[in-house]
Coordinates of all heavy atoms in Angstrom, one line a residue:
M1 N -6.1 -6.4 7.4 CA -6.7 -5.7 6.3 C -5.9 -5.8 5.0 O -4.7 -5.9 5.0 CB -6.7 -4.2 6.7 CG -7.4 -3.3 5.6 SD -7.5 -1.6 6.3 CE -8.4 -0.9 5.0
N2 N -6.6 -5.9 3.9 CA -5.9 -6.1 2.6 C -5.7 -4.7 2.0 O -6.6 -3.9 2.0 CB -6.8 -6.9 1.7 CG -6.9 -8.3 2.2 OD1 -5.9 -8.9 2.6 ND2 -8.1 -8.9 2.1
F3 N -4.5 -4.5 1.4 CA -4.2 -3.3 0.8 C -3.9 -3.4 -0.6 O -3.8 -4.5 -1.2 CB -2.9 -2.7 1.5 CG -3.0 -2.4 2.9 CD1 -2.5 -3.2 3.9 CD2 -3.7 -1.3 3.4 CE1 -2.7 -3.0 5.2 CE2 -3.9 -1.0 4.7 CZ -3.3 -1.8 5.6
F4 N -3.8 -2.3 -1.4 CA -3.5 -2.3 -2.8 C -2.0 -2.2 -3.1 O -1.6 -2.1 -4.2 CB -4.2 -1.2 -3.5 CG -3.7 0.2 -3.2 CD1 -2.8 0.8 -4.0 CD2 -4.1 0.8 -2.1 CE1 -2.3 2.0 -3.7 CE2 -3.7 2.1 -1.8 CZ -2.7 2.7 -2.6
Y5 N -1.2 -2.4 -2.0 CA 0.3 -2.2 -2.1 C 1.0 -3.2 -1.2 O 0.4 -3.6 -0.2 CB 0.7 -0.8 -1.9 CG 0.5 -0.3 -0.5 CD1 1.4 -0.4 0.5 CD2 -0.7 0.3 -0.2 CE1 1.2 0.0 1.8 CE2 -1.0 0.8 1.1 CZ -0.1 0.6 2.1 OH -0.3 1.0 3.3
E6 N 2.2 -3.5 -1.6 CA 3.1 -4.2 -0.7 C 4.4 -3.4 -0.5 O 4.9 -2.8 -1.5 CB 3.5 -5.6 -1.3 CG 2.5 -6.5 -1.7 CD 3.1 -7.6 -2.5 OE1 4.1 -8.2 -2.2 OE2 2.5 -7.9 -3.6
I7 N 4.9 -3.4 0.7 CA 6.2 -2.7 1.0 C 7.2 -3.8 1.0 O 7.1 -4.7 1.8 CB 6.1 -1.9 2.3 CG1 5.1 -0.8 2.1 CG2 7.5 -1.4 2.6 CD1 4.9 0.2 3.2
R8 N 8.2 -3.6 0.2 CA 9.4 -4.5 0.2 C 10.6 -3.6 0.4 O 10.6 -2.4 0.2 CB 9.5 -5.2 -1.2 CG 8.3 -6.2 -1.4 CD 8.5 -7.0 -2.6 NE 7.4 -7.8 -2.9 CZ 7.1 -8.4 -4.0 NH1 8.0 -8.3 -5.0 NH2 6.1 -9.2 -4.2
P9 N 11.8 -4.2 0.7 CA 13.0 -3.4 1.0 C 13.3 -2.5 -0.3 O 13.5 -3.1 -1.4 CB 14.1 -4.4 1.2 CG 13.3 -5.6 1.8 CD 12.0 -5.6 1.1
G10 N 13.3 -1.2 -0.1 CA 13.7 -0.3 -1.2 C 12.6 -0.1 -2.3 O 12.9 0.6 -3.3
K11 N 11.4 -0.6 -2.1 CA 10.4 -0.5 -3.1 C 9.0 -0.7 -2.6 O 8.8 -1.3 -1.6 CB 10.6 -1.3 -4.3 CG 10.4 -2.8 -4.1 CD 10.6 -3.6 -5.3 CE 12.1 -3.9 -5.6 NZ 12.3 -4.9 -6.6
I12 N 8.0 -0.1 -3.3 CA 6.6 -0.4 -3.1 C 6.1 -1.0 -4.4 O 6.3 -0.6 -5.5 CB 5.9 1.0 -2.8 CG1 6.4 1.6 -1.6 CG2 4.4 0.7 -2.7 CD1 5.9 3.0 -1.4
I13 N 5.3 -2.1 -4.2 CA 4.6 -2.7 -5.3 C 3.1 -2.4 -5.2 O 2.4 -2.6 -4.2 CB 4.7 -4.3 -5.2 CG1 6.2 -4.7 -5.0 CG2 4.1 -4.9 -6.4 CD1 7.1 -4.4 -6.2
L14 N 2.6 -1.7 -6.3 CA 1.2 -1.4 -6.4 C 0.4 -2.4 -7.2 O 0.9 -2.8 -8.2 CB 1.1 0.0 -7.0 CG 1.8 1.2 -6.4 CD1 1.6 2.4 -7.3 CD2 1.3 1.4 -5.0
S15 N -0.8 -2.7 -6.8 CA -1.8 -3.4 -7.6 C -2.7 -2.4 -8.2 O -3.3 -1.6 -7.5 CB -2.6 -4.4 -6.7 OG -1.7 -5.4 -6.2
L16 N -2.8 -2.5 -9.5 CA -3.6 -1.5 -10.3 C -4.6 -2.2 -11.1 O -4.4 -3.3 -11.7 CB -2.7 -0.7 -11.2 CG -1.6 0.1 -10.5 CD1 -0.7 0.7 -11.5 CD2 -2.1 1.1 -9.5
K17 N -5.8 -1.6 -11.3 CA -6.8 -2.1 -12.2 C -7.0 -0.9 -13.2 O -7.4 0.2 -12.8 CB -8.1 -2.4 -11.5 CG -9.2 -3.0 -12.4 CD -10.4 -3.5 -11.7 CE -11.4 -4.1 -12.6 NZ -12.5 -4.6 -11.9
I18 N -6.8 -1.2 -14.5 CA -6.8 -0.1 -15.5 C -8.0 -0.1 -16.4 O -8.5 -1.2 -16.8 CB -5.5 -0.4 -16.4 CG1 -4.2 -0.6 -15.5 CG2 -5.4 0.8 -17.4 CD1 -3.9 0.6 -14.6
S19 N -8.5 1.0 -16.6 CA -9.6 1.3 -17.5 C -9.0 2.2 -18.6 O -8.7 3.4 -18.3 CB -10.8 1.9 -16.8 OG -11.8 2.2 -17.8
T20 N -8.9 1.8 -19.8 CA -8.3 2.6 -20.9 C -9.3 3.3 -21.7 O -10.5 3.1 -21.5 CB -7.4 1.7 -21.9 OG1 -8.3 0.7 -22.4 CG2 -6.3 1.1 -21.1
N21 N -8.9 4.2 -22.5 CA -9.8 5.0 -23.4 C -10.7 5.9 -22.6 O -11.8 6.2 -23.0 CB -10.6 4.2 -24.4 CG -9.7 3.4 -25.3 OD1 -8.8 4.0 -25.9 ND2 -10.0 2.2 -25.6
A22 N -10.3 6.3 -21.4 CA -11.1 7.2 -20.6 C -11.0 8.7 -21.2 O -10.0 9.0 -21.9 CB -10.6 7.2 -19.1
S23 N -11.9 9.5 -20.8 CA -11.9 10.9 -21.3 C -10.8 11.7 -20.6 O -10.3 12.7 -21.2 CB -13.2 11.6 -21.0 OG -13.5 11.6 -19.6
V24 N -10.3 11.3 -19.4 CA -9.3 12.0 -18.7 C -8.5 10.9 -17.9 O -9.0 9.9 -17.5 CB -9.8 13.1 -17.8 CG1 -10.7 12.5 -16.7 CG2 -8.7 13.9 -17.2
T25 N -7.2 11.2 -17.7 CA -6.4 10.3 -16.9 C -6.5 10.7 -15.4 O -6.2 11.8 -15.1 CB -4.9 10.3 -17.3 OG1 -4.8 9.8 -18.7 CG2 -4.0 9.5 -16.4
K26 N -6.9 9.7 -14.6 CA -7.0 10.0 -13.2 C -7.0 8.7 -12.3 O -7.3 7.6 -12.8 CB -8.3 10.8 -12.9 CG -9.6 10.1 -13.2 CD -10.8 11.0 -12.9 CE -12.1 10.2 -13.0 NZ -13.2 11.0 -12.7
I27 N -6.9 9.0 -11.0 CA -6.9 7.9 -10.1 C -8.4 7.7 -9.6 O -9.0 8.8 -9.2 CB -6.0 8.1 -8.9 CG1 -4.6 7.9 -9.4 CG2 -6.3 7.1 -7.8 CD1 -3.5 7.9 -8.4
G28 N -8.9 6.5 -9.5 CA -10.2 6.3 -9.0 C -10.1 5.7 -7.6 O -9.2 6.0 -6.8
N29 N -11.1 4.9 -7.2 CA -11.2 4.3 -5.9 C -10.5 2.9 -5.9 O -10.0 2.4 -6.9 CB -12.7 4.1 -5.6 CG -13.4 5.4 -5.5 OD1 -12.9 6.3 -5.0 ND2 -14.6 5.4 -6.0
L30 N -10.5 2.4 -4.7 CA -10.0 1.0 -4.5 C -11.1 0.1 -5.0 O -12.2 0.3 -4.7 CB -9.7 0.7 -3.1 CG -8.5 1.5 -2.5 CD1 -8.3 1.1 -1.0 CD2 -7.2 1.2 -3.2
E31 N -10.7 -1.0 -5.7 CA -11.6 -2.0 -6.2 C -11.2 -3.3 -5.7 O -10.0 -3.7 -5.7 CB -11.6 -2.0 -7.7 CG -12.1 -0.7 -8.3 CD -13.0 -0.9 -9.5 OE1 -13.2 -2.0 -9.9 OE2 -13.6 0.1 -9.9
P32 N -12.2 -4.1 -5.2 CA -11.9 -5.5 -4.8 C -11.6 -6.4 -6.0 O -12.2 -6.2 -7.1 CB -13.2 -5.9 -4.1 CG -14.2 -5.0 -4.7 CD -13.6 -3.8 -5.1
L33 N -10.6 -7.3 -5.8 CA -10.3 -8.3 -6.8 C -10.9 -9.6 -6.4 O -11.3 -9.7 -5.2 CB -8.8 -8.3 -7.0 CG -8.1 -7.1 -7.4 CD1 -6.5 -7.3 -7.4 CD2 -8.6 -6.6 -8.8
S34 N -10.8 -10.6 -7.2 CA -11.4 -11.9 -6.9 C -10.7 -12.6 -5.8 O -11.2 -13.5 -5.2 CB -11.5 -12.7 -8.2 OG -10.2 -13.0 -8.7
D35 N -9.5 -12.3 -5.5 CA -8.7 -13.0 -4.5 C -8.7 -12.3 -3.1 O -7.7 -12.5 -2.4 CB -7.3 -13.2 -5.0 CG -6.5 -11.9 -5.3 OD1 -7.2 -10.8 -5.2 OD2 -5.4 -12.0 -5.8
N36 N -9.7 -11.6 -2.8 CA -9.8 -10.9 -1.5 C -8.8 -9.8 -1.3 O -8.5 -9.5 -0.2 CB -9.8 -11.8 -0.3 CG -11.2 -12.4 -0.1 OD1 -12.2 -11.9 -0.5 ND2 -11.2 -13.5 0.6
K37 N -8.2 -9.3 -2.4 CA -7.3 -8.2 -2.3 C -7.9 -7.0 -3.1 O -8.9 -7.1 -3.6 CB -5.9 -8.6 -3.0 CG -5.2 -9.7 -2.2 CD -3.9 -10.0 -2.8 CE -3.3 -11.2 -2.1 NZ -2.0 -11.6 -2.6
F38 N -7.2 -5.9 -3.0 CA -7.7 -4.7 -3.6 C -6.7 -4.2 -4.7 O -5.5 -4.5 -4.6 CB -7.9 -3.6 -2.6 CG -9.1 -3.9 -1.7 CD1 -8.9 -4.6 -0.6 CD2 -10.3 -3.4 -2.0 CE1 -10.0 -4.9 0.3 CE2 -11.4 -3.7 -1.2 CZ -11.3 -4.4 -0.1
A39 N -7.2 -3.4 -5.6 CA -6.4 -2.7 -6.6 C -6.8 -1.3 -6.7 O -8.0 -1.0 -6.5 CB -6.5 -3.4 -8.0
L40 N -5.9 -0.4 -6.9 CA -6.2 1.0 -7.1 C -6.7 1.2 -8.6 O -5.9 0.8 -9.5 CB -5.0 1.9 -6.9 CG -5.1 3.4 -6.9 CD1 -6.1 3.8 -5.8 CD2 -3.8 4.0 -6.7
K41 N -7.8 1.7 -8.8 CA -8.4 1.9 -10.1 C -7.8 3.1 -10.8 O -7.7 4.2 -10.2 CB -9.9 2.0 -10.1 CG -10.6 2.3 -11.3 CD -11.1 1.1 -12.0 CE -11.7 1.5 -13.3 NZ -12.9 0.7 -13.6
L42 N -7.3 3.0 -12.0 CA -6.8 4.1 -12.8 C -7.5 4.2 -14.0 O -7.8 3.2 -14.7 CB -5.3 3.9 -13.1 CG -4.3 3.8 -12.0 CD1 -2.9 3.7 -12.6 CD2 -4.4 5.0 -11.1
Q43 N -8.0 5.4 -14.4 CA -8.6 5.7 -15.7 C -7.6 6.4 -16.5 O -7.0 7.4 -16.1 CB -9.9 6.5 -15.5 CG -11.0 5.8 -14.7 CD -12.1 6.7 -14.4 OE1 -12.0 7.9 -14.2 NE2 -13.3 6.1 -14.4
I44 N -7.3 5.8 -17.7 CA -6.2 6.2 -18.5 C -6.7 6.7 -19.8 O -7.5 6.0 -20.5 CB -5.2 5.1 -18.7 CG1 -4.7 4.6 -17.4 CG2 -4.1 5.5 -19.6 CD1 -3.9 5.6 -16.6
N45 N -6.4 7.9 -20.2 CA -6.7 8.5 -21.5 C -5.7 8.1 -22.5 O -4.9 8.9 -23.0 CB -6.8 10.0 -21.4 CG -7.2 10.7 -22.7 OD1 -7.5 10.0 -23.7 ND2 -7.2 12.0 -22.7
A46 N -5.6 6.9 -22.9 CA -4.7 6.3 -23.8 C -5.2 4.9 -24.3 O -6.0 4.3 -23.6 CB -3.3 6.2 -23.2
K47 N -4.8 4.6 -25.5 CA -5.2 3.2 -26.0 C -4.3 2.2 -25.5 O -3.1 2.4 -25.2 CB -5.2 3.3 -27.5 CG -6.2 4.3 -28.0 CD -6.2 4.3 -29.5 CE -7.3 5.1 -30.0 NZ -7.5 5.9 -31.0
P48 N -4.8 1.0 -25.4 CA -4.0 -0.2 -24.9 C -3.2 -0.8 -26.0 O -3.2 -2.0 -26.2 CB -5.1 -1.1 -24.3 CG -6.2 -0.9 -25.1 CD -6.2 0.6 -25.4
K49 N -2.6 0.0 -26.8 CA -1.7 -0.6 -27.9 C -0.4 0.2 -27.9 O -0.3 1.4 -27.5 CB -2.4 -0.5 -29.2 CG -2.7 0.8 -29.8 CD -3.3 0.8 -31.1 CE -3.2 2.1 -31.8 NZ -3.5 2.2 -33.1
D50 N 0.6 -0.4 -28.5 CA 1.9 0.3 -28.6 C 2.4 0.9 -27.3 O 3.1 1.9 -27.3 CB 1.9 1.3 -29.7 CG 1.6 0.8 -31.0 OD1 1.9 -0.4 -31.3 OD2 0.9 1.4 -31.8
N51 N 2.0 0.3 -26.2 CA 2.4 0.7 -24.8 C 2.0 2.1 -24.5 O 2.5 2.7 -23.5 CB 4.0 0.6 -24.7 CG 4.4 -0.7 -24.1 OD1 3.6 -1.4 -23.5 ND2 5.6 -1.1 -24.4
E52 N 1.0 2.7 -25.2 CA 0.5 4.0 -24.9 C -0.1 4.1 -23.5 O 0.2 5.0 -22.7 CB -0.6 4.4 -25.9 CG -0.1 4.8 -27.3 CD -1.2 5.1 -28.2 OE1 -2.2 5.7 -27.8 OE2 -1.0 4.9 -29.4
A53 N -0.9 3.1 -23.1 CA -1.6 3.1 -21.8 C -0.5 2.9 -20.7 O -0.5 3.6 -19.7 CB -2.7 2.1 -21.7
N54 N 0.4 2.0 -20.9 CA 1.5 1.7 -19.9 C 2.3 2.9 -19.7 O 2.7 3.2 -18.6 CB 2.3 0.5 -20.3 CG 1.6 -0.8 -20.2 OD1 0.5 -0.9 -19.5 ND2 2.0 -1.8 -20.9
N55 N 2.7 3.6 -20.7 CA 3.5 4.9 -20.6 C 2.7 5.9 -19.9 O 3.3 6.7 -19.0 CB 3.9 5.4 -22.0 CG 4.9 4.4 -22.7 OD1 5.6 3.7 -22.0 ND2 5.0 4.5 -24.0
E56 N 1.4 6.0 -20.1 CA 0.6 7.0 -19.4 C 0.5 6.7 -17.9 O 0.4 7.5 -17.1 CB -0.8 7.0 -20.0 CG -1.7 8.1 -19.5 CD -1.4 9.5 -19.8 OE1 -0.5 9.7 -20.7 OE2 -1.9 10.4 -19.2
I57 N 0.4 5.4 -17.6 CA 0.3 4.9 -16.2 C 1.6 5.4 -15.5 O 1.5 5.9 -14.4 CB 0.2 3.4 -16.1 CG1 -1.2 3.0 -16.6 CG2 0.4 2.9 -14.7 CD1 -1.4 1.5 -16.9
I58 N 2.8 5.1 -16.1 CA 4.0 5.5 -15.4 C 4.1 6.9 -15.3 O 4.6 7.5 -14.3 CB 5.2 4.8 -16.2 CG1 5.2 3.3 -16.0 CG2 6.5 5.5 -15.8 CD1 6.3 2.6 -16.8
S59 N 3.7 7.7 -16.3 CA 3.7 9.2 -16.2 C 2.8 9.7 -15.1 O 3.2 10.6 -14.3 CB 3.2 9.8 -17.6 OG 4.1 9.5 -18.6
L60 N 1.6 9.1 -14.9 CA 0.7 9.5 -13.9 C 1.3 9.2 -12.5 O 1.3 10.1 -11.6 CB -0.6 8.8 -14.0 CG -1.6 9.1 -12.9 CD1 -2.1 10.5 -12.8 CD2 -2.8 8.2 -13.0
I61 N 1.8 8.0 -12.3 CA 2.4 7.7 -11.0 C 3.6 8.5 -10.7 O 3.8 9.0 -9.6 CB 2.7 6.2 -10.9 CG1 1.5 5.3 -11.1 CG2 3.5 5.8 -9.6 CD1 0.4 5.5 -10.1
S62 N 4.4 8.8 -11.7 CA 5.6 9.6 -11.5 C 5.2 11.1 -11.1 O 5.8 11.7 -10.2 CB 6.4 9.7 -12.8 OG 7.5 10.6 -12.7
K63 N 4.2 11.6 -11.8 CA 3.8 13.0 -11.5 C 3.2 13.1 -10.1 O 3.5 14.0 -9.4 CB 2.7 13.4 -12.5 CG 2.1 14.7 -12.4 CD 1.1 15.0 -13.4 CE 0.4 16.3 -13.1 NZ -0.7 16.6 -14.0
L64 N 2.4 12.1 -9.7 CA 1.8 12.2 -8.4 C 2.7 12.0 -7.2 O 2.6 12.5 -6.2 CB 0.6 11.2 -8.3 CG -0.6 11.5 -9.2 CD1 -1.5 10.3 -9.1 CD2 -1.2 12.8 -8.8
T65 N 3.7 11.1 -7.4 CA 4.6 10.7 -6.4 C 6.0 11.5 -6.4 O 6.7 11.5 -5.5 CB 5.0 9.3 -6.4 OG1 5.6 9.0 -7.6 CG2 3.7 8.4 -6.2
K66 N 6.2 12.2 -7.5 CA 7.5 13.0 -7.7 C 8.7 12.0 -7.8 O 9.8 12.4 -7.5 CB 7.7 14.0 -6.6 CG 6.6 15.0 -6.4 CD 6.3 15.9 -7.6 CE 5.4 17.0 -7.3 NZ 4.1 16.9 -8.0
I67 N 8.4 10.8 -8.2 CA 9.5 9.8 -8.4 C 9.8 9.7 -9.9 O 8.9 9.7 -10.7 CB 9.0 8.3 -7.9 CG1 8.6 8.4 -6.4 CG2 10.0 7.3 -8.2 CD1 9.8 8.4 -5.5
P68 N 11.1 9.8 -10.2 CA 11.4 9.7 -11.7 C 10.8 8.5 -12.4 O 10.8 7.4 -11.8 CB 12.9 9.7 -11.7 CG 13.4 10.1 -10.3 CD 12.2 9.8 -9.4
K69 N 10.5 8.6 -13.6 CA 9.9 7.5 -14.4 C 10.9 6.3 -14.4 O 10.5 5.2 -14.5 CB 9.6 7.9 -15.8 CG 8.5 8.9 -15.9 CD 8.3 9.3 -17.3 CE 7.3 10.5 -17.5 NZ 7.1 10.9 -18.8
S70 N 12.2 6.6 -14.4 CA 13.2 5.5 -14.5 C 13.2 4.7 -13.2 O 13.7 3.5 -13.2 CB 14.6 6.1 -14.6 OG 14.9 7.0 -13.5
K71 N 12.5 5.1 -12.2 CA 12.4 4.3 -10.9 C 11.1 3.6 -10.8 O 10.8 3.0 -9.8 CB 12.6 5.2 -9.7 CG 13.9 6.0 -9.7 CD 15.0 5.1 -9.2 CE 16.2 5.9 -9.0 NZ 17.3 5.1 -8.6
I72 N 10.3 3.6 -11.9 CA 9.0 2.9 -11.9 C 9.0 1.9 -13.0 O 9.3 2.2 -14.2 CB 7.9 4.0 -12.1 CG1 7.9 5.1 -11.0 CG2 6.5 3.3 -12.1 CD1 7.0 6.2 -11.2
S73 N 8.5 0.7 -12.7 CA 8.5 -0.4 -13.7 C 7.4 -1.4 -13.4 O 7.0 -1.5 -12.3 CB 9.9 -1.1 -13.7 OG 10.1 -1.7 -12.5
F74 N 7.0 -2.1 -14.4 CA 6.0 -3.1 -14.3 C 6.6 -4.4 -13.8 O 7.7 -4.8 -14.2 CB 5.3 -3.4 -15.6 CG 4.4 -2.3 -16.1 CD1 4.8 -1.3 -16.9 CD2 3.1 -2.2 -15.5 CE1 4.0 -0.2 -17.2 CE2 2.3 -1.2 -15.9 CZ 2.7 -0.2 -16.8
V75 N 6.0 -5.0 -12.8 CA 6.3 -6.3 -12.3 C 5.6 -7.4 -13.0 O 6.1 -8.4 -13.3 CB 6.0 -6.4 -10.7 CG1 6.3 -7.7 -10.2 CG2 6.8 -5.3 -10.0
S76 N 4.3 -7.1 -13.3 CA 3.5 -8.1 -14.1 C 2.3 -7.3 -14.7 O 2.0 -6.2 -14.3 CB 3.0 -9.2 -13.1 OG 2.1 -8.7 -12.1
G77 N 1.7 -8.0 -15.6 CA 0.4 -7.5 -16.2 C 0.6 -6.4 -17.2 O -0.4 -5.7 -17.5
E78 N 1.7 -6.4 -17.9 CA 1.9 -5.3 -18.9 C 0.8 -5.3 -20.0 O 0.5 -4.3 -20.6 CB 3.3 -5.4 -19.5 CG 4.4 -4.8 -18.7 CD 5.7 -4.7 -19.4 OE1 5.9 -3.8 -20.2 OE2 6.5 -5.6 -19.1
K79 N 0.3 -6.5 -20.3 CA -0.7 -6.7 -21.3 C -2.1 -7.0 -20.7 O -2.9 -7.6 -21.4 CB -0.3 -7.7 -22.3 CG 0.9 -7.3 -23.1 CD 1.3 -8.3 -24.2 CE 2.6 -7.9 -24.9 NZ 2.5 -6.9 -25.9
S80 N -2.3 -6.7 -19.4 CA -3.5 -7.1 -18.7 C -4.1 -5.8 -18.1 O -3.4 -4.8 -18.0 CB -3.2 -8.1 -17.6 OG -4.3 -8.3 -16.8
K81 N -5.4 -5.9 -17.8 CA -6.0 -4.8 -17.1 C -5.6 -4.7 -15.6 O -5.7 -3.7 -14.9 CB -7.6 -4.9 -17.2 CG -8.1 -4.6 -18.5 CD -9.6 -4.6 -18.6 CE -10.0 -4.3 -20.0 NZ -11.3 -3.8 -20.0
I82 N -5.2 -5.8 -15.0 CA -4.7 -5.9 -13.7 C -3.2 -5.9 -13.8 O -2.6 -6.8 -14.4 CB -5.2 -7.2 -12.9 CG1 -6.7 -7.2 -13.0 CG2 -4.6 -7.2 -11.5 CD1 -7.4 -6.1 -12.3
K83 N -2.5 -4.9 -13.1 CA -1.1 -4.8 -13.2 C -0.4 -4.6 -11.8 O -1.1 -4.2 -10.9 CB -0.7 -3.5 -14.1 CG -1.3 -3.5 -15.5 CD -1.0 -2.2 -16.2 CE -1.7 -2.2 -17.6 NZ -1.2 -3.2 -18.5
K84 N 0.8 -5.0 -11.8 CA 1.6 -4.7 -10.6 C 2.8 -3.8 -11.0 O 3.4 -4.1 -12.0 CB 2.2 -6.0 -10.0 CG 1.1 -6.8 -9.3 CD 1.6 -7.7 -8.2 CE 0.5 -8.5 -7.6 NZ 0.0 -7.9 -6.4
L85 N 3.0 -2.7 -10.3 CA 3.9 -1.7 -10.6 C 4.9 -1.6 -9.4 O 4.4 -1.4 -8.3 CB 3.2 -0.4 -10.9 CG 3.9 0.7 -11.7 CD1 4.1 0.3 -13.1 CD2 3.1 1.9 -11.6
A86 N 6.2 -1.5 -9.7 CA 7.2 -1.3 -8.7 C 7.7 0.1 -8.7 O 8.0 0.6 -9.8 CB 8.3 -2.3 -8.8
I87 N 7.7 0.7 -7.5 CA 8.3 2.0 -7.4 C 9.5 1.9 -6.5 O 9.4 1.5 -5.3 CB 7.3 3.0 -6.8 CG1 6.0 3.1 -7.6 CG2 7.9 4.4 -6.6 CD1 4.9 3.9 -6.9
E88 N 10.7 2.2 -7.0 CA 11.9 2.2 -6.2 C 12.0 3.4 -5.3 O 12.2 4.5 -5.8 CB 13.1 2.1 -7.1 CG 13.2 0.9 -8.0 CD 14.4 1.0 -8.9 OE1 15.5 1.4 -8.5 OE2 14.3 0.5 -10.0
T89 N 11.8 3.2 -4.0 CA 11.8 4.3 -3.1 C 12.0 3.8 -1.6 O 11.6 2.7 -1.4 CB 10.5 5.2 -3.2 OG1 10.7 6.3 -2.3 CG2 9.3 4.4 -2.8
E90 N 12.5 4.6 -0.8 CA 12.5 4.3 0.6 C 11.4 5.2 1.4 O 11.2 5.0 2.6 CB 13.9 4.7 1.3 CG 15.0 3.8 0.7 CD 15.0 2.4 1.2 OE1 14.4 2.1 2.2 OE2 15.6 1.6 0.5
D91 N 10.7 6.1 0.6 CA 9.7 6.9 1.2 C 8.4 6.2 1.1 O 7.6 6.4 0.1 CB 9.7 8.3 0.4 CG 8.6 9.2 1.0 OD1 8.0 8.9 2.0 OD2 8.3 10.2 0.3
Y92 N 8.0 5.4 2.1 CA 6.8 4.6 2.0 C 5.6 5.5 2.3 O 4.5 5.0 2.2 CB 6.9 3.5 3.0 CG 8.2 2.6 2.7 CD1 9.1 2.4 3.7 CD2 8.3 2.1 1.4 CE1 10.3 1.6 3.4 CE2 9.5 1.3 1.1 CZ 10.4 1.1 2.1 OH 11.5 0.3 1.8
T93 N 5.8 6.7 2.7 CA 4.6 7.6 2.9 C 4.0 8.1 1.6 O 2.9 8.7 1.6 CB 5.0 8.8 3.8 OG1 5.9 9.6 3.1 CG2 5.6 8.4 5.1
L94 N 4.6 7.9 0.5 CA 4.1 8.4 -0.8 C 2.8 7.7 -1.2 O 2.1 8.2 -2.0 CB 5.1 8.2 -1.9 CG 5.5 6.9 -2.5 CD1 4.5 6.3 -3.4 CD2 6.8 7.0 -3.1
I95 N 2.4 6.6 -0.5 CA 1.1 6.0 -0.7 C 0.0 7.0 -0.5 O -1.0 7.1 -1.2 CB 0.9 4.8 0.2 CG1 1.9 3.7 -0.2 CG2 -0.5 4.3 0.2 CD1 1.7 3.1 -1.6
D96 N 0.2 7.9 0.5 CA -0.7 8.9 0.8 C -1.0 9.9 -0.4 O -2.1 10.5 -0.5 CB -0.3 9.8 2.0 CG -0.2 8.9 3.3 OD1 -0.9 7.9 3.4 OD2 0.6 9.3 4.2
K97 N 0.0 10.0 -1.3 CA -0.2 10.9 -2.5 C -1.1 10.2 -3.5 O -1.6 10.9 -4.4 CB 1.2 11.2 -3.1 CG 2.0 12.0 -2.1 CD 3.4 12.2 -2.7 CE 4.3 12.9 -1.7 NZ 5.7 13.0 -2.2
L98 N -1.2 8.9 -3.4 CA -2.1 8.2 -4.4 C -3.5 8.0 -4.0 O -4.4 7.9 -4.8 CB -1.5 6.8 -4.6 CG -0.1 6.8 -5.2 CD1 0.5 5.4 -5.2 CD2 0.0 7.4 -6.6
I99 N -3.8 8.1 -2.7 CA -5.1 8.0 -2.2 C -5.5 9.3 -1.4 O -4.7 9.8 -0.7 CB -5.4 6.8 -1.3 CG1 -4.4 6.7 -0.2 CG2 -5.3 5.5 -2.1 CD1 -4.6 5.6 0.8
K100 N -6.6 9.8 -1.7 CA -6.9 11.1 -1.2 C -7.9 11.0 -0.1 O -8.7 10.2 0.0 CB -7.4 12.1 -2.3 CG -6.3 12.3 -3.3 CD -6.9 13.0 -4.5 CE -5.8 13.2 -5.5 NZ -6.1 12.9 -6.8

């Protein structure tokens, strides 16, 4: 089965598909990508300029997982709608907090 995350030693890598300028910031459903993988859809109430949307993404993930913002960083896609985000943690069960 294909997931929207990878577990690596000491971190989780999330695949995200971002929709900016949404009326509210929230997590959506899993969305298939063209490479037979999935991404977690995020609707972000921020513009994709001056890192507003990226900052909002980190804030949302931090709030939901209770992981400090300093432990969350982009692996790739900072200027793309498809992003990879690393969360430094040993608590791999926090994925459950992202999908309901």
Side-chain angles (χ1 to χ4, degrees):
M1 180 172 188
N2 293 317
F3 297 103
F4 69 96
Y5 63 91
E6 300 172 47
I7 294 183
R8 296 188 185 164
K11 67 177 83 171
I12 298 171
I13 309 293
L14 302 177
S15 293
L16 305 172
K17 185 173 183 180
I18 309 304
S19 176
T20 57
N21 296 319
S23 60
V24 64
T25 295
K26 66 180 184 177
I27 290 185
N29 296 319
L30 293 179
E31 294 226 350
L33 299 175
S34 61
D35 57 0
N36 278 341
K37 295 183 182 178
F38 289 87
L40 185 62
K41 174 95 182 219
L42 299 184
Q43 295 175 323
I44 302 298
N45 180 7
K47 295 181 173 148
K49 67 173 193 170
D50 300 327
N51 271 336
E52 288 179 31
N54 287 342
N55 292 337
E56 184 72 12
I57 292 164
I58 289 175
S59 293
L60 175 64
I61 299 299
S62 175
K63 179 181 174 185
L64 293 173
T65 62
K66 308 292 190 246
I67 300 288
K69 292 178 189 178
S70 62
K71 301 281 185 183
I72 302 171
S73 61
F74 288 96
V75 175
S76 66
E78 283 188 76
K79 296 184 185 279
S80 172
K81 289 186 179 200
I82 306 297
K83 301 177 184 295
K84 290 205 181 261
L85 197 71
I87 303 171
E88 294 177 39
T89 184
E90 297 287 339
D91 179 10
Y92 303 123
T93 64
L94 69 82
I95 292 297
D96 296 334
K97 297 175 184 176
L98 299 174
I99 53 175
K100 298 172 181 134

